[in-house]
Amino acid sequence: MLDRERIAARQFAIMTILYIIGSAILVIPSLLAAKAKQDAWIAAIAAVGIGMAFIPLYIALGKRFPDKNLAQYCEIILGKWLGKIAFLCFLIGFPFLIAALTLRNIGDFLTIGILTRTPIQVIMIIVLAAVAWGVKLGLEPIARAAEIFFPFVILLLFLLLLFVSPYLQLKNLEPFLENGIAPVLKGAFTLVSYPLLEPVVLLMIFPHVPKPKEAGQALWRGVLIGGMILFAVTLFSVSVLGVDIVKGHSFPSFELAKKINIGDFLQRIEALMMFIWIITIFFRLTILVYVISAGLAQTFNLKDYRMLSLPLCVILTVMALVIVPNSSYLLAFNQKIWPLYVYNFGLFFPLLLWIAGIVRRKGKCAARKDETG
């Protein structure tokens, strides 16, 4: 399974960018403004810097086992059975939960803002049908599709920011650091937790890039560019709409697109933002379902992960409806619980693997010296 699928470093970087942007492009300005208020853009810059500090840990694991994915070197480091149990806990507690929350996010957005009379279950089923089909095709087609759609995402995002630039009001960003650095740091760690600590799941894709060094560089670029896009959207949202609107709205960047009005002719083109978001969230969900499918296939020694995509999508639909009763609950969860929960899997789990790998390697070296001595 691992030997047959190969993607280019460029494609891996693009997949990382689309994964980072994902659903965050709609909700991050609101989450940051709730913590840092008018300094949300400063918090975004700080978050990108903090988030980049975790990437060397992921790259170190990827380079240590260049031909293995996260599931495989869990078993190598922790032993077969303990490694399987640890990875299953990671799989269910992190990528599976993220996928369910992301699915609920897209359902809430479309039913609240656009398709108000459409049952949320119908939207989820349609989205996951496309995701299941994408995962069934395999990693290489997913990567090629990401490469095709990425220029359109960047172009539309550029046009969106260009069209709202006449409405920029720098006074909405003042006063700078009114309440000191503490709110900025709280906002920064909100963005770090969602989504800048999530690239650990991409370690399941890391070995599919033929050269580990290029894969590491691609991960760097992907997280940096994705983080800077979220910074730009946050900056424009606060400066155009004002902190009160951004803080009080679940999807402020969608409201930002409604501001576009050029000559009373080109206006209400929020479909730009919707198109950007649908593409990015599709790839985010597809990557997550691929990671879950490949991880389960590796853990249970299945020949092919593709057959798991459809049943997983069915389970995700049920979970998204059960664990998140409404959009208010999801917003409160993202603000209060997730920033603490995510560090268990985004930081401590890979750090534990890295330390355990070093200890295990030193133990083997010592044993070899005793045998030769």
Side-chain angles (χ1 to χ4, degrees):
M1 177 174 63
L2 182 60
D3 295 335
R4 292 199 303 267
E5 295 184 303
R6 288 288 181 264
I7 63 174
R10 178 185 65 259
Q11 294 172 330
F12 184 45
I14 290 173
M15 292 174 69
T16 303
I17 294 169
L18 294 176
Y19 179 86
I20 292 294
I21 297 173
S23 55
I25 195 171
L26 278 180
V27 300
I28 276 298
S30 176
L31 295 176
L32 290 181
K35 300 286 186 180
K37 298 184 179 178
Q38 70 274 6
D39 294 322
W41 64 279
I42 303 177
I45 295 176
V48 173
I50 297 171
M52 295 298 291
F54 299 114
I55 303 304
L57 175 60
Y58 306 151
I59 294 176
L61 282 172
K63 287 185 176 180
R64 173 88 187 281
F65 305 94
D67 59 340
K68 300 288 189 296
N69 59 36
L70 181 59
Q72 291 171 313
Y73 51 76
C74 272
E75 296 183 26
I76 294 173
I77 294 173
L78 302 177
K80 183 178 179 180
W81 295 110
L82 181 58
K84 286 181 182 294
I85 293 171
F87 181 73
L88 278 176
C89 291
F90 168 82
L91 207 62
I92 296 171
F94 203 53
F96 191 87
L97 180 59
I98 294 173
L101 295 175
T102 301
L103 181 62
R104 181 68 196 212
N105 210 340
I106 191 172
D108 286 340
F109 169 68
L110 292 177
T111 53
I112 292 173
I114 301 173
L115 306 174
T116 55
R117 296 186 179 183
T118 304
I120 191 171
Q121 296 91 335
V122 174
I123 293 172
M124 290 180 177
I125 291 171
I126 292 173
V127 170
L128 285 179
V131 169
W133 180 63
V135 174
K136 191 172 180 62
L137 291 176
L139 181 62
E140 292 177 357
I142 294 171
R144 289 195 293 269
E147 195 173 16
I148 291 170
F149 279 102
F150 182 67
F152 294 100
V153 172
I154 296 300
L155 176 62
L156 291 175
L157 185 62
F158 172 77
L159 291 176
L160 171 68
L161 299 181
L162 178 66
F163 289 154
V164 299
S165 58
Y167 303 98
L168 288 172
Q169 299 183 50
L170 296 181
K171 65 179 182 180
N172 287 334
L173 304 177
E174 299 174 351
F176 298 115
L177 300 175
E178 179 183 17
N179 298 310
I181 197 68
V184 172
L185 292 177
K186 289 180 181 178
F189 280 102
T190 298
L191 179 53
V192 169
S193 63
Y194 170 63
L196 297 181
L197 262 181
E198 295 180 16
V200 64
V201 303
L202 299 177
L203 288 176
M204 287 294 295
I205 302 175
F206 194 98
H208 291 280
V209 181
K211 298 181 180 179
K213 183 178 179 181
E214 292 182 358
Q217 293 172 347
L219 190 61
W220 274 108
R221 292 196 304 271
V223 174
L224 177 61
I225 294 172
M228 294 312 296
I229 289 173
L230 295 179
F231 154 71
V233 172
T234 301
L235 175 65
F236 274 72
S237 296
V238 175
S239 59
V240 172
L241 299 175
V243 67
D244 292 331
I245 294 178
V246 173
K247 184 171 59 174
H249 203 284
S250 299
F251 311 110
S253 53
F254 189 68
E255 291 298 309
L256 181 68
K258 292 181 180 180
K259 283 285 186 179
I260 297 174
N261 185 355
I262 300 177
D264 292 326
F265 172 72
L266 189 62
Q267 54 184 327
R268 296 304 300 268
I269 56 173
E270 54 269 21
L272 277 177
M273 175 56 68
M274 185 178 69
F275 186 73
I276 294 170
W277 189 63
I278 287 176
I279 291 175
T280 57
I281 205 168
F282 166 76
F283 282 103
R284 178 178 169 87
L285 269 174
T286 303
I287 291 169
L288 286 167
V289 174
Y290 166 79
V291 166
I292 299 168
S293 301
L296 288 174
Q298 177 64 44
T299 303
F300 295 106
N301 299 319
L302 303 178
K303 292 182 178 179
D304 195 359
Y305 64 86
R306 293 174 177 86
M307 63 181 180
L308 298 175
S309 61
L310 185 58
L312 275 174
C313 287
V314 174
I315 296 172
L316 279 174
T317 304
V318 177
M319 290 300 297
L321 295 170
V322 171
I323 65 177
V324 184
N326 52 61
S327 57
S328 299
Y329 179 92
L330 180 59
L331 181 62
F333 180 86
N334 287 336
Q335 289 180 341
K336 298 177 181 179
I337 300 175
W338 186 255
L340 300 175
Y341 177 84
V342 68
Y343 285 92
N344 294 316
F345 297 100
L347 176 59
F348 299 129
F349 181 72
L351 186 61
L352 173 65
L353 289 179
W354 182 66
I355 294 173
I358 292 175
V359 173
R360 188 180 181 90
R361 182 171 56 183
K362 288 183 177 180
K364 287 183 177 180
C365 292
R368 287 172 186 171
K369 289 181 179 179
D370 290 341
E371 291 176 0
T372 56

